[in-house]
Amino acid sequence: MKLIFYIFLLLIPFSCALQLSEIMPYPEDGNEWIELYSKEDINITGLEITDNLNTDQIICCNDDPCDYHVSKNTTFLILDQDTSMNTSAVHFCVDDNSIGNSLGNNEDRLIFKKDNIALINFSYNLTLPKGKSYSFTDRWEISDPSPGIRNLNQQQNKPNETVPRETTSILAIIPLFEKTTTNQEQNFFKVQNMAYHDSGQETNAIFTLTIHNITTKMHESKKNISFKSYTTATGSYMFTYPGNYTICGNITTETCFNLMVEDSFSERCNVSLETSTDKSIYLKGEQIKITHNLRETYPYSIEYHAEDLFGEVIKEKATTTNNNQKSFTPTFEEDEKAIIIFSELHAQCNNSNKDTKTENLIVVKGNKSTETFLKIVKSPEEASYGETFEAELSIRKGDTRKSAVKITVNGASETTSLNVYSKEQEFSISVPIRMKECGEGGTFELVAEGLDNAVAKTIKIKEEPCNKKTKSTSSSSGSGSSFGYERVGTAAKKEYELISFTKELIDEHNSIVRISNTDASSHNYSIWSYIYDGSRSLSGEREANKKELTLNPGQSKSIELKTKVLDKTSTSPKLKIRILREDRKTPHEFTEDLSYGGSNHPTEIETEEATFESNEAFEEQQTENIEPKNKSIGNELTGEVVYDSNSKQKSIIPFLIIICITLIAIGIIKYNSQ
């Protein structure tokens, strides 16, 4: 059996609540009926039904009083006035003895209207056996009649019966608005494929748009449309004169609505435009995201395009009628380029506001590299057993999926491990290397390996004879090495160590500092950080992220500091970290230069907690757990980073100045006495 039909639903709020669920056009007892289903509470007063010839009002049956209010989730029937059908279901009748011109047995068209607006537009063309109905469950199909009863899936009722089913086109023609203004070119309909969820196939159709004034057809156009779920590219038109118009869309059957067009300059308004981008500096290859914001809502269009400083077009002019975020990716041969985004608002009203044009300057620089590199930048030429020295690494993670980096002196040290999670960022990190307690002397290789890279430098190790001890002896002392030998010497702890910090200026800057109480008494510490350029703070209040802690003798803790950057206009940003012990007047300081770099937006980087593999040199330290909330560079790299501060030299400067002034004063006094 071949089944071809089209359904056109006009989905305005009332029609969204009303659904055609079953029809009986070829009954055995002569009683035709139509079944509807209400998804919401509705009032059907004024509802009309039209077939291919006649129009009927839907009223109470036999002039009996009835309630035109239909409750939510109710199935109700439309009958004719002389029906002999006996039903307890909610029902209404047409105003005469036949529905329309009587329902066609094999072919007809049904249009339900309210206030001259088409709510349901339904056509069928099929071979329907006498006494069978045409019902909708999850699809339209021939079934046994069930008037007034919510339809069930036929395959559930009859699991052993196979119901033939062919590919079906189910299209909805939906008006986009009921009111507009002159001088604005617009599309008027949205066409939606209601069967796309089931079929997943693209639909092709010819859409005809016609526009009428009271007596004349003003415009007609035909357009081939191809789409999957829906399209609004159904044909556009711009009205020159205000008035009332009838707009119709047609694929196989026609859907029409009344449109009121007002003079776009008859009403005064005050609409201004603001344009912003998600940031001001981009890497080459990144998307630039643009947001247009309007003060007051009114019909409008916005033209926008992008040029470089020399007027070369980077993005062609485009027009939008909404404030959804727009994006484009510029392409050019130069290494970097300054780009201006021009936007202009055209409000469909007599606009008194002159702030309708905007210009936004952005910079696109560098190539977005996927290269990974691992370098040993700095390391000592010689080392001794039993000590801990530092090696400075330079790391950049490209498109590799690996994250682990290990560094060791082959055969002479423990292995220090760290993880790098953030891509397209360059890190500089000092890594502690813990030498074994004893061993042979000679030339060894300091090897850094990971991220699909390996690099080595030579280092000379002095011989240190080993005196073997039992593992129980060394472990009971609390200072034995994992190699089972007695520890000859241990490295002294540093009081303050900068473990890691973000080298680039981003929205939220992360740094980690280890504080070790090397004194014999407990102490209270204050620690805070801020970003600055000269005397200007780029992160607001300088002590906004201040933290307090107490450390017992010999105790260590790693503290994570998050610094929000409020001003990115600086050309020479610096990071300042200050630590003050309660018995000291001058805080210890770390100062680091920052730079502008690649994207490090918190939502673009996967959040993972990084761990540092056990190193015996730090077993006695108690480290505070740091759980990153926003993934930024400081959270992406784990390990030990140590930087020496020059605060001692800085603290001498005031004394030198005082001594110089004193000597000058003495010289002047002696000169005057002569």
Side-chain angles (χ1 to χ4, degrees):
M1 174 186 68
K2 185 175 182 181
L3 173 62
I4 303 175
F5 66 93
Y6 294 91
I7 302 174
F8 299 87
L9 302 177
L10 182 58
L11 300 178
I12 62 177
F14 184 94
S15 65
C16 289
L18 190 64
Q19 177 181 315
L20 183 64
S21 57
E22 191 170 359
I23 60 173
M24 171 55 80
Y26 195 16
E28 290 184 337
D29 58 3
N31 294 315
E32 297 177 348
W33 48 268
I34 297 173
E35 181 185 84
L36 299 171
Y37 175 70
S38 64
K39 298 180 181 178
E40 304 291 341
D41 291 345
I42 60 174
N43 191 313
I44 67 166
T45 302
L47 189 64
E48 298 178 345
I49 180 173
T50 300
D51 67 353
N52 57 7
L53 187 62
N54 292 339
T55 297
D56 293 323
Q57 299 287 328
I58 296 177
I59 59 175
C60 299
C61 296
N62 300 318
D63 296 326
D64 293 334
C66 66
D67 185 2
Y68 286 99
H69 176 268
V70 179
S71 300
K72 179 180 179 179
N73 297 328
T74 298
T75 300
F76 62 99
L77 301 174
I78 306 298
L79 312 173
D80 55 51
Q81 289 286 350
D82 66 350
T83 184
S84 61
M85 183 176 177
N86 185 16
T87 179
S88 59
V90 176
H91 60 277
F92 302 91
C93 290
V94 295
D95 56 6
D96 56 24
N97 293 333
S98 66
I99 299 176
N101 188 37
S102 185
L103 298 178
N105 293 343
N106 300 313
E107 180 180 359
D108 211 335
R109 175 185 179 187
L110 302 174
I111 301 175
F112 287 84
K113 293 183 179 180
K114 182 177 170 69
D115 299 328
N116 204 32
I117 299 296
L119 307 177
I120 299 175
N121 196 333
F122 175 85
S123 297
Y124 62 91
N125 183 348
L126 71 160
T127 302
L128 189 68
K130 189 173 184 179
K132 295 288 186 179
S133 69
Y134 200 37
S135 65
F136 181 80
T137 52
D138 59 339
R139 62 184 184 274
W140 283 96
E141 57 189 3
I142 298 171
S143 63
D144 293 327
S146 57
I149 301 174
R150 182 86 179 268
N151 295 336
L152 299 175
N153 191 302
Q154 300 299 313
Q155 294 185 15
Q156 292 177 350
N157 292 337
K158 300 179 181 181
N160 296 323
E161 180 180 345
T162 301
V163 179
R165 181 179 179 183
E166 298 185 13
T167 302
T168 306
S169 297
I170 306 176
L171 303 177
I173 302 179
I174 308 165
L176 295 175
F177 42 79
E178 298 177 359
K179 183 179 178 181
T180 189
T181 60
T182 57
N183 304 309
Q184 183 175 201
E185 187 158 351
Q186 294 174 307
N187 293 303
F188 302 97
F189 290 100
K190 172 182 175 180
V191 179
Q192 186 164 355
N193 182 8
M194 310 300 286
Y196 176 70
H197 179 73
D198 292 330
S199 67
Q201 297 179 352
E202 186 175 79
T203 297
N204 299 290
I206 298 176
F207 187 89
T208 302
L209 172 69
T210 56
I211 301 175
H212 302 258
N213 59 15
I214 297 175
T215 58
T216 309
K217 180 190 291 186
M218 301 170 46
H219 172 80
E220 179 175 301
S221 62
K222 294 182 182 292
K223 186 174 183 179
N224 291 313
I225 55 175
S226 298
F227 60 98
K228 292 182 179 180
S229 178
Y230 71 90
T231 182
T232 57
T234 53
S236 61
Y237 185 79
M238 182 174 67
F239 290 96
T240 305
Y241 301 102
N244 291 316
Y245 298 87
T246 301
I247 314 297
C248 296
N250 188 306
I251 296 181
T252 301
T253 57
E254 191 172 62
T255 294
C256 300
F257 72 100
N258 293 328
L259 179 67
M260 179 182 293
V261 180
E262 297 180 345
D263 187 348
S264 59
F265 298 102
S266 63
E267 186 173 347
R268 295 183 62 83
C269 63
N270 184 6
V271 187
S272 62
L273 175 66
E274 294 179 355
T275 305
S276 61
T277 56
D278 57 326
K279 52 186 178 179
S280 57
I281 299 176
Y282 297 82
L283 285 180
K284 201 171 181 181
E286 283 188 294
Q287 263 194 350
I288 297 170
K289 298 177 181 179
I290 310 168
T291 302
H292 294 113
N293 293 312
L294 276 72
R295 195 185 72 177
E296 287 194 18
T297 57
Y298 216 86
Y300 67 90
S301 62
I302 299 173
E303 291 182 345
Y304 63 99
H305 72 285
E307 300 176 0
D308 67 10
L309 296 179
F310 302 100
E312 181 182 351
V313 175
I314 303 300
K315 174 178 171 50
E316 297 291 342
K317 184 177 291 186
T319 302
T320 179
T321 57
N322 60 64
N323 61 353
N324 297 337
Q325 189 178 72
K326 307 298 185 294
S327 63
F328 72 98
T329 304
T331 56
F332 50 85
E333 295 181 357
E334 296 87 346
D335 290 336
E336 60 183 35
K337 189 179 283 289
I339 297 174
I340 304 175
I341 300 171
F342 298 90
S343 302
E344 183 174 3
L345 167 69
H346 301 281
Q348 302 302 312
C349 58
N350 187 2
N351 189 10
S352 61
N353 199 311
K354 303 305 179 184
D355 294 329
T356 57
K357 295 182 179 181
T358 61
E359 296 181 9
N360 295 80
L361 176 65
I362 61 171
V363 176
V364 181
K365 52 187 276 187
N367 288 313
K368 196 169 185 180
S369 173
T370 59
E371 178 190 4
T372 297
F373 64 74
L374 175 62
K375 300 176 182 177
I376 301 175
V377 179
K378 187 177 181 182
S379 63
E381 295 182 358
E382 296 182 353
S384 300
Y385 286 104
E387 72 173 11
T388 298
F389 68 87
E390 294 168 7
E392 184 178 340
L393 301 182
S394 180
I395 304 172
R396 179 185 177 88
K397 181 176 179 179
D399 57 4
T400 179
R401 299 180 64 180
K402 297 181 180 180
S403 59
V405 175
K406 297 183 178 182
I407 183 167
T408 185
V409 178
N410 282 341
S413 77
E414 299 179 10
T415 299
T416 301
S417 298
L418 54 93
N419 291 303
V420 180
Y421 296 112
S422 180
K423 290 188 175 183
E424 312 304 339
Q425 304 297 326
E426 184 175 346
F427 302 96
S428 180
I429 179 171
S430 291
V431 181
I433 309 298
R434 172 64 176 172
M435 295 297 296
K436 291 182 181 181
E437 299 299 335
C438 56
E440 295 180 355
T443 301
F444 291 78
E445 281 193 336
L446 173 63
V447 178
E449 185 175 12
L451 308 178
D452 295 319
N453 277 259
V455 62
K457 289 187 72 174
T458 58
I459 183 171
K460 293 181 179 180
I461 309 296
K462 297 178 183 179
E463 183 178 359
E464 183 69 33
C466 293
N467 298 316
K468 290 192 175 182
K469 303 290 184 180
T470 62
K471 290 186 179 180
S472 59
T473 302
S474 62
S475 61
S476 64
S477 68
S479 61
S481 77
S482 59
F483 298 93
Y485 297 106
E486 181 181 16
R487 178 171 297 168
V488 176
T490 58
K493 291 182 183 178
K494 290 187 178 181
E495 188 173 6
Y496 305 120
E497 297 176 90
L498 180 56
I499 302 301
S500 66
F501 71 97
T502 310
K503 293 188 65 175
E504 296 167 352
L505 193 66
I506 58 174
D507 292 338
E508 186 172 67
H509 189 281
N510 279 42
S511 53
I512 300 175
V513 177
R514 173 178 286 116
I515 302 177
S516 300
N517 185 358
T518 58
D519 202 356
S521 303
S522 296
H523 287 289
N524 298 322
Y525 298 84
S526 299
I527 180 171
W528 65 95
S529 65
Y530 56 90
I531 311 294
Y532 72 100
D533 184 354
S535 61
R536 180 164 56 106
S537 173
L538 308 180
S539 55
E541 177 61 38
R542 297 193 178 214
E543 297 186 12
N545 64 350
K546 188 174 183 179
K547 294 185 177 183
E548 308 282 348
L549 68 152
T550 301
L551 296 180
N552 296 322
Q555 186 181 7
S556 298
K557 280 191 177 181
S558 292
I559 308 301
E560 180 182 27
L561 296 173
K562 294 180 181 291
T563 309
K564 292 187 177 180
V565 179
L566 306 178
D567 184 352
K568 291 187 178 179
T569 60
S570 167
T571 57
S572 302
K574 295 179 182 293
L575 167 68
K576 178 80 75 177
I577 300 174
R578 288 188 167 182
I579 310 164
L580 180 62
R581 204 168 83 176
E582 93 284 351
D583 60 341
R584 295 173 180 168
K585 293 183 179 180
T586 304
H588 184 88
E589 293 183 350
F590 291 107
T591 303
E592 299 294 339
D593 292 329
L594 303 180
S595 63
Y596 289 97
S599 170
N600 193 32
H601 196 284
T603 60
E604 296 175 356
I605 305 174
E606 177 189 1
T607 299
E608 296 186 45
E609 184 175 355
T611 59
F612 183 83
E613 288 191 8
S614 174
N615 269 298
E616 189 189 10
F618 302 97
E619 286 176 358
E620 296 174 354
Q621 299 178 2
Q622 300 177 13
T623 303
E624 179 181 25
N625 290 328
I626 301 170
E627 297 180 357
K629 296 179 181 177
N630 292 316
K631 189 79 166 186
S632 58
I633 298 177
N635 301 15
E636 302 312 310
L637 185 147
T638 66
E640 301 297 332
V641 187
V642 183
Y643 291 85
D644 289 328
S645 172
N646 59 357
S647 61
K648 290 185 178 180
Q649 289 85 338
K650 290 182 179 178
S651 63
I652 296 173
I653 293 174
F655 297 101
L656 293 176
I657 294 173
I658 293 171
I659 292 170
C660 290
I661 293 173
T662 303
L663 292 174
I664 292 171
I666 292 171
I668 293 173
I669 292 171
K670 287 185 176 181
Y671 179 80
N672 291 333
S673 64
Q674 292 176 358

